[in-house]
Amino acid sequence: MTRKLFKTVIVGAGPAGLTAAYQLAKEGVPVVVLENDPDYVGGISRTVNYKGFRFDIGGHRFFSKSRDVEDLWTEIAGDLMLERPRSSSIYYRGQFFAYPLKPFEALSKLGFFESILCVLSFVKARLRPTPNPKSFEDWVVNQFGERLFRIFFKTYTEKVWGMSCQEISADWAAQRIKGLSLASAIKHALLPKRKTRNRKDIVKTLIDTFRYPRQGPGMMWEACAGKIRQMGGEINLGRSVVGCRFDSLSKSWIVTARTAAGEEEEYRGEHLISSMPMRQLVAQIQPPLPDAAVTAAQSLRYRDFLTVGLILREQERVADNWIYIHDPGVKVGRVQNYKSWSPEMVPDPSYCCYGLEYFCFEGDGLWSAPDSELIALAKKEIEHVNLGLEADVLDGCVIRQPKAYPVYDDAYLQHVATIRQALEEHCPNLHLVGRNGMHKYNNQDHAMMTAMLTAKNIMAGGRKFDVWAVNQDAEYHEAGEAGEQTVSEFAASSRLSVPTPVAEQ
């Protein structure tokens, strides 16, 4: 068995893991990153190259309320970045509606009587809102009214999660669409655009432009990985972590990884940074955590998804970056138009490429279907939603992404709190970062901020800064209350607090 010694072992080469490695390597700290994927870095922010056509795993806008994150993107890949217009829409009843909603356009397309019912529903919601909304449905109805919720939110959201909107925690709505309401959408549509120096004042859902690497987000993380290696860091692909043991005698972590050939390697480090799914981490920790934490981890749920990438003759049917599909007659939930993200995602301008996203659970019918069946399904559905003709599709591929979304059900907060408490008590120098590492539905800027603070903790020789406070109120990502601060400023005001389990609601 191969054995190697480092200051810090990092599991996962997504935005969180690579950001932590980059920050530590800049300070001369010996680091190694272990990544399960044999070909790509970037995690869910990677870009897959299929015959020169590039496909993201979802869409990834590069816009953050954190100056530090924006500066780091520029530092890593400044010349590789484009400024791109933001354009997205909702497909409903054979029509495309701009998203964020343009109220007058939406109401005109819905028709007079439906529009009147939507306005009355909105007024009712404002006069009699649900106090302390606990579910996604309650939260959105408070913002838009029940009628608009059912038209523009319910179908897509239930496709994503495979569960009723009443079962989804309001935390998810607060993170993903915080600051967006019918009133804010009307204001954004009517008032002239003003530049603001304070990024906290921007509702992220309403931004008009964003940055984007010329050949997809994977380009950013490939550049980051290259810089880490130049600074002496090690990034090993095709390594599946199968064990994490804390050695109390040497006070170090021993991480066992298995290569694609089945060989085992052992990495020892004073610190362990994990962005692997929390459920998976807890199952691997030795000595084992208390039974309550193990049970809590087993209860955490994840939603998986797959992208069917289609290559078509260019028909210039749509200019949107992505389109939400609110049509119960098809299984596809969202369509990415990669050429609109960047022209360089397509090697020949006479073609375009789409990514049809299907949300599923690992092992179910969709997930397990042969690639040929999934491509055939996508070809039919792209024509059904008026984005192309089946006959125009020339080729396709399938990209599966397990554990894409940590599920925000009504018990997840209790489970995460129980696990956090056990880790604090039994696992010295273990640091959780990123979406799956912290079981937080966040985007890459939040994942990067948690990694930046973690690197500061390691350099300081202790847990001085509360990484969990980056999103402790479930509103930081969208509302950005800490986002305008630098990492140093935010860290100085965020002292660590030991978590206590919260009561299930």
Side-chain angles (χ1 to χ4, degrees):
M1 177 185 291
T2 303
R3 292 179 171 86
K4 296 186 178 182
L5 179 64
F6 297 86
K7 170 77 172 180
T8 302
V9 179
I10 301 172
V11 180
L18 290 179
T19 297
Y22 181 82
Q23 298 290 75
L24 291 170
K26 280 204 304 183
E27 300 296 330
V29 176
V31 298
V32 61
V33 182
L34 306 176
E35 170 56 46
N36 183 58
D37 194 297
D39 302 310
Y40 296 100
V41 297
I44 200 171
S45 294
R46 69 189 183 279
T47 302
V48 173
N49 187 331
Y50 177 74
K51 300 181 180 180
F53 292 84
R54 290 175 167 80
F55 300 89
D56 289 355
I57 314 305
H60 298 275
R61 291 178 293 163
F62 285 72
F63 176 88
S64 179
K65 295 190 176 188
S66 165
R67 294 196 305 269
D68 284 292
V69 170
E70 289 279 2
D71 290 345
L72 187 57
W73 283 332
T74 300
E75 180 179 327
I76 294 171
D79 293 339
L80 304 177
M81 304 286 271
L82 302 173
E83 187 81 13
R84 301 298 297 160
R86 180 213 194 277
S87 177
S88 58
S89 62
I90 292 171
Y91 179 81
Y92 174 73
R93 289 186 179 176
Q95 298 188 86
F96 293 96
F97 296 77
Y99 184 82
L101 295 177
K102 295 180 178 178
F104 301 112
E105 178 216 54
L107 294 176
S108 66
K109 288 185 176 180
L110 288 173
F112 177 77
F113 291 107
E114 183 65 56
S115 298
I116 293 297
L117 292 174
C118 287
V119 171
L120 292 175
S121 176
F122 170 71
V123 171
K124 177 183 176 181
R126 304 312 291 174
L127 293 175
R128 300 179 60 185
T130 300
N132 302 316
K134 293 181 173 60
S135 73
F136 174 86
E137 180 170 336
D138 293 340
W139 196 96
V140 176
V141 168
N142 277 357
Q143 302 299 313
F144 291 90
E146 184 173 356
R147 200 88 183 178
L148 286 174
F149 159 75
R150 295 193 177 280
I151 293 172
F152 291 117
F153 293 90
K154 186 177 188 297
T155 301
Y156 172 76
T157 302
E158 292 184 351
K159 280 186 182 182
V160 171
W161 295 106
M163 57 196 292
S164 164
C165 288
Q166 280 288 354
E167 298 177 75
I168 303 169
S169 171
D171 289 0
W172 184 70
Q175 277 189 252
R176 305 306 293 181
I177 54 178
K178 179 66 176 176
L180 179 63
S181 65
L182 196 60
S184 64
I186 293 172
K187 180 180 178 182
H188 181 77
L190 293 180
L191 296 183
K193 307 299 185 294
R194 293 186 302 111
K195 289 189 176 182
T196 175
R197 295 184 178 181
N198 189 348
R199 301 178 74 83
K200 292 194 300 181
D201 295 337
I202 301 172
V203 178
K204 290 179 73 175
T205 311
L206 297 175
I207 63 170
D208 295 314
T209 63
F210 56 87
R211 290 195 292 170
Y212 188 78
R214 291 187 292 104
Q215 295 183 348
M219 192 179 205
M220 164 74 72
W221 299 114
E222 291 287 352
C224 183
K227 291 177 183 290
I228 293 167
R229 292 184 175 113
Q230 290 172 8
M231 293 185 289
E234 192 171 311
I235 300 175
N236 295 335
L237 302 182
R239 265 62 173 190
S240 175
V241 172
V242 295
C244 300
R245 178 169 64 88
F246 183 73
D247 182 3
S248 58
L249 294 178
S250 63
K251 297 189 182 302
S252 62
W253 283 94
I254 301 170
V255 179
T256 304
R258 185 174 293 129
T259 68
E263 299 175 352
E264 289 196 348
E265 300 173 342
E266 191 175 274
Y267 300 84
R268 185 183 292 264
E270 179 183 343
H271 293 268
L272 172 60
I273 299 176
S274 174
S275 65
M276 77 169 84
M278 190 180 284
R279 186 173 71 189
Q280 180 181 341
L281 172 68
V282 171
Q284 294 185 5
I285 287 178
Q286 294 291 331
L289 294 178
D291 290 345
V294 173
T295 300
Q298 292 171 344
S299 301
L300 293 177
R301 302 164 60 197
Y302 301 86
R303 186 66 162 162
D304 314 290
F305 91 123
L306 58 87
T307 297
V308 180
L310 296 182
I311 299 169
L312 302 85
R313 297 183 184 88
E314 177 61 89
Q315 298 295 322
E316 298 185 352
R317 285 175 176 253
V318 63
D320 290 310
N321 311 117
W322 69 96
I323 300 142
Y324 300 102
I325 307 299
H326 289 237
D327 185 339
V330 292
K331 293 182 179 180
V332 62
R334 185 171 59 181
V335 177
Q336 302 289 341
N337 178 17
Y338 298 114
K339 194 173 184 179
S340 182
W341 285 92
S342 168
E344 293 189 35
M345 299 290 278
V346 179
D348 185 331
S350 62
Y351 298 94
C352 64
C353 58
Y354 293 145
L356 281 73
E357 297 175 358
Y358 294 88
F359 306 95
C360 50
F361 290 109
E362 190 172 357
D364 70 12
L366 266 177
W367 180 271
S368 304
D371 288 3
S372 58
E373 289 185 12
L374 292 169
I375 292 170
L377 172 66
K379 289 169 65 175
K380 291 179 181 178
E381 295 197 340
I382 203 69
E383 182 165 328
H384 181 94
V385 298
N386 298 321
L387 291 176
L389 297 176
E390 189 174 347
D392 287 333
V393 178
L394 304 176
D395 200 356
C397 63
V398 177
I399 306 159
R400 291 173 174 81
Q401 179 60 50
K403 296 179 176 61
Y405 306 114
V407 171
Y408 275 26
D409 56 27
D410 59 1
Y412 91 99
L413 279 174
Q414 170 70 38
H415 298 321
V416 170
T418 299
I419 295 164
R420 284 183 58 196
Q421 188 172 45
L423 294 178
E424 293 288 342
E425 294 174 356
H426 300 281
C427 297
N429 293 341
L430 172 62
H431 311 270
L432 305 185
V433 295
R435 175 182 288 194
N436 278 334
M438 302 175 75
H439 203 82
K440 287 193 172 187
Y441 190 120
N442 53 43
N443 282 349
Q444 60 183 337
D445 58 343
H446 174 275
M448 292 172 66
M449 181 68 85
T450 64
M452 294 163 84
L453 288 174
T454 293
K456 281 187 168 290
N457 278 337
I458 291 173
M459 293 303 301
R463 298 192 180 190
K464 294 185 177 181
F465 312 127
D466 184 2
V467 173
W468 292 85
V470 174
N471 203 14
Q472 64 183 354
D473 58 3
E475 295 183 352
Y476 161 75
H477 178 76
E478 294 296 338
E481 293 182 6
E484 188 62 17
Q485 297 173 307
T486 65
V487 168
S488 299
E489 292 167 343
F490 180 68
S493 64
S494 302
R495 301 302 173 184
L496 183 67
S497 58
V498 178
T500 55
V502 296
E504 292 189 28
Q505 297 179 350

